[in-house]
């Protein structure tokens, strides 16, 4: 998903000042809704191809190659006046980028082993983890509705994870770990990066993903572990080149992801964050639909039930949070 790189509602609408813009964001609710739907459609579509990429290269090579392409596109957005690439506080953007990079690696890694419906369900537990950390770390009080949301959300997690038989527990928990780290990145965005340009944060996450991917590839070259064939080797495979059958898919993933995040940014610029964020859950419809259409992935009634519970929990949190 670069879900995939959510600027986090509260900060996004004020982090991309255009040159010569007048103070105060312009509210365009219908354009915001359309932009968010386009973003979720694009991201839900393109993330399905990670399962195909996983059959030939590792997640580390995928992220390293993809980041080079994505950084070029992000630089183009910056030169077009969408925001500065230079952070105001390097350490804050670096910490935020590290947390979200780990979250997205867990999410992408899980796509090789389970249907996208389950991976997205795990990633979208992030609002639940944000709520829990708000209570446990920031010591803020929440009302009964959001307590109910936590219970409903974790019930949904158990339902979704329970339908994937035969996978090791650690693999099943990968997308949930992605949701946890994404939640920590979201809090870092909210608390530390509110005044940063979204373009600088996007460049940070793409750049750090590439650096981590390259670093792990070097480590794998030294260790030379035994690598299973096919998608099972997604986490252990080293550098492979050339990759003529997969390279176009990595290019597609990079381009469509950046375009999707661009529309996501525009949605938060044009709309009220509490309303726009609810529409992010449409990716849990688009993703499984394209998984079924393109990859012949089954979507069972149990998966649907768990996804619906997680969506209900997220909607309650979005509506009840101020």
């Amino acid at each position: 998903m670069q879900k995939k790189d959510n600027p986090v509602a509260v900060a996004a609408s004020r982090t991309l000042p255009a040159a010569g813009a007048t103070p105060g964001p312009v509210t365009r609710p219908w354009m915001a809704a359309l932009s968010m739907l386009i973003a979720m459609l694009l991201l839900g579509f393109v993330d399905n191809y990670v399962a195909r990429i996983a059959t030939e290269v590792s997640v580390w090579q995928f992220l390293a190659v993809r980041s080079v392409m994505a950084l070029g596109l992000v630089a183009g957005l910056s030169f077009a006046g969408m925001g500065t690439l230079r952070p105001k506080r390097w350490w804050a953007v670096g910490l935020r980028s590290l947390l979200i990079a780990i979250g997205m690696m867990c999410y992408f890694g899980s796509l090789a082993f389970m249907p996208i419906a389950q991976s997205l369900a795990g990633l979208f537990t992030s609002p639940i983890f944000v709520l829990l950390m708000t209570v446990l770390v920031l010591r803020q009080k929440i009302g009964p509705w959001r307590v109910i949301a936590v219970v409903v959300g974790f019930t949904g997690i158990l339902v979704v994870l329970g339908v994937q038989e035969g996978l090791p527990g650690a693999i099943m928990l990968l997308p949930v770990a992605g949701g946890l780290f994404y939640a920590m990145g979201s809090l870092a965005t909210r608390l530390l990066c509110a005044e940063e340009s979204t373009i600088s944060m996007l460049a940070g996450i793409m750049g750090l993903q590439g650096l981590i991917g390259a670093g792990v590839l070097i480590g794998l070259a030294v260790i030379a572990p035994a690598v299973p064939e096919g998608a099972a080797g997604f986490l252990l495979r080293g550098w492979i080149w050339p990759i003529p059958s997969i390279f176009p898919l990595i290019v597609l993933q990079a381009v469509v992801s950046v375009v999707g995040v661009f529309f996501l940014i525009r949605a938060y610029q044009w709309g009220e964050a509490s309303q726009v964020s609810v529409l992010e859950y449409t990716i849990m419809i688009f993703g499984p639909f394209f998984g079924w259409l393109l990859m012949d992935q089954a979507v069972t009634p149990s998966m649907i039930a768990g996804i619906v519970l997680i969506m209900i929990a997220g909607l309650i949190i979005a509506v009840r949070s101020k």
Side-chain angles (χ1 to χ4, degrees), residues 113-115 118 160-173 232:
F113 303 98
M114 61 186 67
Q118 289 179 292
V160 171
L161 294 182
V163 301
Q164 185 70 14
E165 299 178 358
L167 286 179
I171 295 296
M172 293 176 64
L173 292 175

Side-chain angles (χ1 to χ4, degrees), residues 173-238:
L173 292 175
L174 259 182
V176 179
L180 173 61
F181 278 100
Y182 195 87
M184 290 191 285
S186 297
L187 280 181
T189 308
R190 188 176 301 170
L191 299 175
L192 304 175
C193 302
E195 301 303 321
E196 300 289 348
S197 161
T198 306
I199 291 295
S200 72
M201 291 191 288
L202 182 56
I205 179 66
M206 291 296 181
L208 196 56
Q209 282 182 347
L211 289 175
I212 293 175
V216 175
L217 285 171
I218 294 172
L220 289 173
V222 174
I223 299 172
V227 180
E229 294 185 2
F234 195 40
L235 301 178
L236 295 174
R237 195 175 287 121

Side-chain angles (χ1 to χ4, degrees), residues 32-248:
L34 179 61
S35 294
M36 181 58 76
L37 290 175
I38 292 173
M40 296 302 102
L41 174 68
L42 292 174
L43 298 174
F45 158 72
V46 80
D47 279 357
N48 278 282
Y49 287 103
V50 175
R52 174 71 181 88
I53 294 170
T55 61
E56 296 193 26
V57 301
S58 67
V59 64
W60 318 112
Q61 183 173 351
F62 161 65
L63 290 173
V65 175
R66 172 179 173 265
S67 69
V68 173
M69 304 173 190
L71 283 172
L73 295 172
V74 172
L77 291 177
S78 177
F79 293 145
M82 297 302 299
T84 178
L85 287 168
R86 185 180 181 85
K88 293 182 178 179
R89 294 194 295 178
W90 287 86
W91 69 269
V93 173
L95 175 61
R96 182 255 184 195
S97 298
L98 177 62
L99 293 170
I100 292 187
I102 295 173
M104 297 312 298
M105 287 175 185
C106 293
Y107 165 69
F108 283 129
S110 72
L111 288 172
F113 303 98
M114 61 186 67
I116 192 173
Q118 289 179 292
S119 295
L120 285 171
L123 186 64
F124 269 80
T125 58
S126 58
I128 302 170
F129 286 121
V130 168
L131 186 62
L132 289 175
M133 285 186 283
T134 299
V135 175
L136 299 176
V137 178
L138 302 182
R139 303 296 183 182
Q140 295 182 7
K141 295 182 179 180
I142 61 174
W145 274 105
R146 286 187 283 177
V147 173
I148 293 172
V150 171
V151 175
V152 171
F154 277 107
T155 302
I157 295 171
L158 295 176
V159 171
V160 171
L161 294 182
V163 301
Q164 185 70 14
E165 299 178 358
L167 286 179
I171 295 296
M172 293 176 64
L173 292 175
L174 259 182
V176 179
L180 173 61
F181 278 100
Y182 195 87
M184 290 191 285
S186 297
L187 280 181
T189 308
R190 188 176 301 170
L191 299 175
L192 304 175
C193 302
E195 301 303 321
E196 300 289 348
S197 161
T198 306
I199 291 295
S200 72
M201 291 191 288
L202 182 56
I205 179 66
M206 291 296 181
L208 196 56
Q209 282 182 347
L211 289 175
I212 293 175
V216 175
L217 285 171
I218 294 172
L220 289 173
V222 174
I223 299 172
V227 180
E229 294 185 2
F234 195 40
L235 301 178
L236 295 174
R237 195 175 287 121
W239 179 265
I240 294 177
W241 198 265
I243 46 173
S245 63
I246 295 300
F247 189 74

